Amino acid sequence: MGPSKMDVDKPAKAATEYGLPDDEIVAEIPVYLTHQIAKNLHILQYPQKEGTISPGVLLPKVARIKPIHGQMEMDISLDVQSPMYNRERGLELGVGLADNGRLLDITTLVSVDIPKSSTYVAGVFSNGGLHLTPIECLTQLRPSLKYLDRVAEKELAASKLDIDDDDDETKDAKAQTVQVT
């Protein structure tokens, strides 16, 4: 059932009646809806990070964007000076980044599009008005573990080289007759 005429005509309760301080309207401003930057505006979620993210914590070193496929990757610096960072393991895993014994000092976040279940807008107060732009892309950034694949590939290639070396040694071996008296 919808509201009756009597319900609509009743004035709304004042904020003070709910125990809130009086908050009077101080100005009315125009609202503008624009779609000009909507295709380039993204909401990025970090589901692997708990709570709020302090400014400056997730500063990307490098970002790679594939606009046709709508994919993005960001390299985020790791705090290698932290006492929680395992330097020995960082050197082992750094092989997945480069062959020269580089320390694993970055983590790569890759985009995963999530289905749009709500409508979001971004707003900016500018020139005496509220400018709203719809957000068409909601993306989650999740860690990529490609460096682990590269480490495994390098270990596999090294083991194949060891097997090939063993095969070469057996090919060179010749049968000899030995007499014992």
Side-chain angles (χ1 to χ4, degrees), residues 43 45 112-120 135-140 142:
I43 288 182
Q45 292 181 338
V112 177
D113 287 334
I114 56 175
K116 193 173 174 184
S117 61
S118 297
T119 302
Y120 296 96
I135 297 174
E136 297 176 8
C137 188
L138 186 58
T139 303
Q140 286 186 350
R142 298 182 183 169

Side-chain angles (χ1 to χ4, degrees), residues 16-116:
T16 54
E17 291 181 41
Y18 293 105
L20 300 172
D22 193 21
D23 192 16
E24 64 183 70
I25 297 172
V26 294
E28 289 188 22
I29 58 172
V31 177
Y32 304 99
L33 182 64
T34 179
H35 293 272
Q36 290 177 341
I37 62 171
K39 67 179 181 171
N40 297 319
L41 197 56
H42 299 260
I43 288 182
L44 303 178
Q45 292 181 338
Y46 301 92
Q48 303 294 323
K49 298 288 182 186
E50 293 182 16
T52 60
I53 300 171
S54 302
V57 172
L58 289 176
L59 290 177
K61 288 176 74 173
V62 177
R64 293 172 292 280
I65 299 173
K66 294 181 178 180
I68 294 172
H69 297 292
Q71 295 176 336
M72 76 176 69
E73 291 183 354
M74 283 195 267
D75 291 343
I76 308 293
S77 296
L78 295 175
D79 182 8
V80 297
Q81 303 303 322
S82 167
M84 301 302 291
Y85 185 81
N86 184 339
R87 192 167 191 81
E88 183 178 313
R89 188 71 175 139
L91 285 169
E92 290 173 16
L93 295 176
V95 172
L97 299 176
D99 289 323
N100 60 359
R102 177 180 168 186
L103 186 67
L104 181 67
D105 59 349
I106 60 168
T107 185
T108 301
L109 301 176
V110 295
S111 64
V112 177
D113 287 334
I114 56 175
K116 193 173 174 184

